Amino acid sequence: DGGITQSPKYLFRKEGQNVTLSCEQNLNHDAMYWYRQDPGQGLRLIYYSQIVNDFQKGDIAEGYSVSREKKESFPLTVTSAQKNPTAFYLCASSMVVTGELFFGEGSRLTVL
Amino acid sequence: DAKTTQPTSMDCAEGRAANLPCNHSTISGNEYVYWYRQIHSQGPQYIIHGLKNNETNEMASLIITEDRKSSTLILPHATLRDTAVYYCIVRVRMQTSYDKVIFGPGTSLSVIP
């Protein structure tokens, strides 16, 4: 079945370590997005990409990096520069024309 | 910043209609209204979208005012499984659009038995 797969679902890391979260989609969608969600809060946009090899910063890009080498994949790296990385991370994709976002199940990162 | 405002929380009795309002007073002519919902600790799920006409699908109905400055999502017969956070967003729906898609805090709907 088509969909978006995020991995890992749960991740624990020590402070100061870089962490990469995977996001893969087989929906043939052009656009992909990364959001961060803190407890009881809405979604905040980290990065988004409309096409391969191009991406734009969202509202809270500091301390994060992404790549878009393939249409299907949009990995997010949480670097040691991110001051408070513990959060729920959500990846989404959409066809540019239709606009509906399809979300993965999320990755919960805890930094100890 | 999000372009929409929604009440923080609402309650609804099971079996009754849940009416969730959303204000988008600065909406542009080419922006659509989208609704999503998020059940605890899961990824948000698309519900419905519309431009200016009322829309209905198997999940819900969307009523957009004539001036397009507000809308209401209607869940006709709320069940306990509809307890979730509901997000209203506006976005351009163009092939060449490079938009951010901003989510506000949404409305936390509690369906009461």
Side-chain angles (χ1 to χ4, degrees):
Chain A
D1 284 356
I4 298 182
T5 302
Q6 288 188 242
S7 63
K9 191 165 185 170
Y10 298 96
L11 187 59
F12 297 88
R13 278 295 180 267
K14 292 183 179 179
E15 204 170 314
Q17 288 182 327
N18 288 357
V19 168
T20 297
L21 307 179
S22 169
C23 178
E24 303 276 334
Q25 54 99 359
N26 60 4
L27 300 166
N28 199 32
H29 285 172
D30 298 301
M32 296 188 75
Y33 308 78
W34 274 106
Y35 290 89
R36 168 183 172 138
Q37 187 173 37
D38 293 289
Q41 305 296 312
L43 281 65
R44 291 188 290 168
L45 184 65
I46 306 173
Y47 269 98
Y48 59 112
S49 168
Q50 205 81 334
I51 56 173
V52 173
N53 292 324
D54 189 32
F55 45 83
Q56 299 292 320
K57 292 182 179 180
D59 297 322
I60 56 165
E62 186 176 348
Y64 298 98
S65 66
V66 292
S67 62
R68 187 86 186 274
E69 297 177 1
K70 299 187 299 181
K71 187 176 183 178
E72 303 78 22
S73 178
F74 192 41
L76 173 74
T77 297
V78 184
T79 75
S80 56
Q82 168 51 232
K83 297 282 189 284
N84 188 17
T86 294
F88 187 48
Y89 291 89
L90 286 158
C91 179
S93 70
S94 73
M95 285 292 287
V96 180
V97 174
T98 61
E100 295 95 298
L101 291 175
F102 290 79
F103 283 85
E105 289 303 305
S107 292
R108 192 169 298 280
L109 172 63
T110 302
V111 174
L112 306 171
Chain B
D1 290 342
K3 298 180 181 179
T4 63
T5 55
Q6 300 175 252
T8 302
S9 63
M10 293 180 64
D11 291 338
C12 177
E14 189 178 14
R16 304 296 292 268
N19 297 287
L20 293 94
C22 179
N23 286 322
H24 29 79
S25 58
T26 61
I27 192 169
S28 302
N30 60 356
E31 286 183 314
Y32 286 69
V33 180
Y34 285 80
W35 283 84
Y36 293 82
R37 74 178 182 185
Q38 185 178 25
I39 295 171
H40 183 63
S41 295
Q42 296 182 19
Q45 175 192 22
Y46 164 79
I47 301 173
I48 198 167
H49 74 275
L51 181 62
K52 54 184 177 180
N53 297 321
N54 297 339
E55 302 287 344
T56 296
N57 63 21
E58 64 278 3
M59 290 182 68
S61 295
L62 174 60
I63 309 297
I64 302 174
T65 58
E66 194 168 338
D67 64 8
R68 302 208 325 123
K69 292 186 177 182
S70 66
S71 60
T72 301
L73 179 75
I74 301 172
L75 308 178
H77 305 287
T79 71
L80 298 178
R81 287 177 294 181
D82 292 322
T83 293
V85 177
Y86 287 77
Y87 299 99
C88 167
I89 66 169
V90 296
R91 71 174 302 198
V92 177
R93 189 177 166 183
M94 294 166 54
Q95 190 161 8
T96 57
S97 170
Y98 208 176
D99 65 326
K100 285 186 174 183
V101 194
I102 305 296
F103 283 75
T107 296
S108 178
L109 174 69
S110 295
V111 179
I112 315 295

